Amino acid sequence: MKPDIRTLIIYEDPQIIVCHKPAGVPVQSARVTTADMVSLLKNYLAGTYTAGNRNKAPYLAVIHRLDQPVEGLLVFAKTPAAAKDLNRQLTSSGFGKYYRAAVAGVPEPAEGTLEDYMVKDGSTNTSRICTKETPGAKLARLHYKVEGTYKNTSSVTSLVQIRLDTGRHHQIRVQMAHIGCPLVGDRKYGQQYNKTGMPNTPGADALKLCAYRLEFRHPKSGEKMVFELPDK
């Protein structure tokens, strides 16, 4: 069933739309039968056009993306000028992108910065840590902080806040797995071992990653915009 896009729109003005993307819904898909955020928003915008604009396709630009299993906040541009400014902010570290993740084990130290080089393999839709000299390597950097640790008889899980400084393909999933703390529910990278030596077994759990906070400057007014999803 297609989600009701009107319930997912958090903020809208003539330049931008900020949405809450549900887990499992792609940002954009090549499959005609798949409901994605771009097609849902374009259909919504087409329905809001005035009579004089009904023959003109609505403009909508994707500024940043979230993996299909990831829930969280996204901003889209409604004009070319807004898209240009938001992309400038994105590439100059003007965006604040904050995530919460449940990871296997306990990252050590409890707060730190991960800086690696990563390369994407398009044939498998995966990424991996590599050397700086690897063809196609790109710098990946994030800051994390452990907010809480939870233990049961067989495993240890930590709730971690993450701020992305770069936006590489599967960056959080790969970098956290690389230090031995893969995300809970990560079927792609979850076979890495955590700090306790216990393998992360995703089972039926969904990927425990949410882009809960987004910060940027409004592309027209320059006002600082901050959006945050409530804790569940």
Side-chain angles (χ1 to χ4, degrees), residues 166-182:
T166 57
R168 307 306 178 203
H169 178 255
H170 292 173
Q171 179 179 340
I172 293 174
R173 298 163 69 181
V174 172
Q175 286 192 286
M176 296 308 295
H178 185 66
I179 65 168
C181 296

Side-chain angles (χ1 to χ4, degrees), residues 16-68:
I16 62 174
I17 298 181
V18 177
C19 293
H20 177 187
K21 185 188 90 66
V25 177
V27 174
Q28 199 167 18
S29 174
R31 298 179 181 178
V32 177
T33 57
T34 301
D36 59 74
M37 294 300 294
V38 170
S39 61
L40 290 170
L41 283 168
K42 283 187 173 181
N43 287 337
Y44 161 77
L45 290 173
T48 64
Y49 266 27
T50 60
N53 289 327
R54 290 197 183 279
N55 294 326
K56 183 179 178 181
Y59 180 90
L60 186 75
V62 177
I63 305 302
H64 59 122
R65 299 175 183 270
L66 295 173
D67 295 342
Q68 185 168 338

Side-chain angles (χ1 to χ4, degrees), residues 11-231:
Y11 175 85
E12 181 181 9
D13 66 26
Q15 284 76 41
I16 62 174
I17 298 181
V18 177
C19 293
H20 177 187
K21 185 188 90 66
V25 177
V27 174
Q28 199 167 18
S29 174
R31 298 179 181 178
V32 177
T33 57
T34 301
D36 59 74
M37 294 300 294
V38 170
S39 61
L40 290 170
L41 283 168
K42 283 187 173 181
N43 287 337
Y44 161 77
L45 290 173
T48 64
Y49 266 27
T50 60
N53 289 327
R54 290 197 183 279
N55 294 326
K56 183 179 178 181
Y59 180 90
L60 186 75
V62 177
I63 305 302
H64 59 122
R65 299 175 183 270
L66 295 173
D67 295 342
Q68 185 168 338
V70 179
E71 173 188 5
L73 293 167
L74 287 168
V75 59
F76 296 85
K78 293 172 65 177
T79 69
K84 181 178 179 180
D85 186 82
L86 290 172
N87 277 310
R88 177 191 60 78
Q89 293 184 53
L90 187 66
T91 56
S92 63
S93 300
F95 263 49
K97 295 185 289 182
Y98 296 84
Y99 295 73
R100 280 199 175 97
V103 304
V106 184
E108 296 178 1
E111 182 173 1
T113 297
L114 302 181
E115 188 167 297
D116 301 288
Y117 282 89
M118 291 177 54
V119 64
K120 180 181 177 181
D121 183 344
S123 64
T124 60
N125 192 35
T126 59
S127 291
R128 61 179 174 85
I129 303 296
C130 63
T131 66
K132 184 178 180 179
E133 293 72 28
T134 302
K138 294 182 178 180
L139 178 67
R141 184 174 56 245
L142 62 79
H143 182 83
Y144 73 86
K145 181 179 181 180
V146 177
E147 295 186 328
T149 302
Y150 309 92
K151 300 180 181 180
N152 59 35
T153 56
S154 61
S155 64
V156 180
T157 302
S158 298
L159 180 63
V160 181
Q161 183 192 92
I162 296 167
R163 185 191 190 281
L164 279 182
D165 290 334
T166 57
R168 307 306 178 203
H169 178 255
H170 292 173
Q171 179 179 340
I172 293 174
R173 298 163 69 181
V174 172
Q175 286 192 286
M176 296 308 295
H178 185 66
I179 65 168
C181 296
L183 270 63
V184 173
D186 193 341
R187 292 169 175 80
K188 187 162 285 191
Y189 303 101
Q191 296 308 310
Q192 300 282 345
Y193 279 73
N194 64 31
K195 294 291 186 181
T196 66
M198 297 290 293
N200 179 40
T201 52
D205 288 340
L207 184 69
K208 302 301 184 183
L209 182 62
C210 177
Y212 79 97
R213 183 180 172 96
L214 184 63
E215 302 175 355
F216 57 90
R217 295 282 177 182
H218 192 276
K220 186 172 183 179
S221 69
E223 176 188 358
K224 185 174 182 179
M225 310 289 287
V226 179
F227 300 93
E228 188 167 329
L229 297 176
D231 289 340

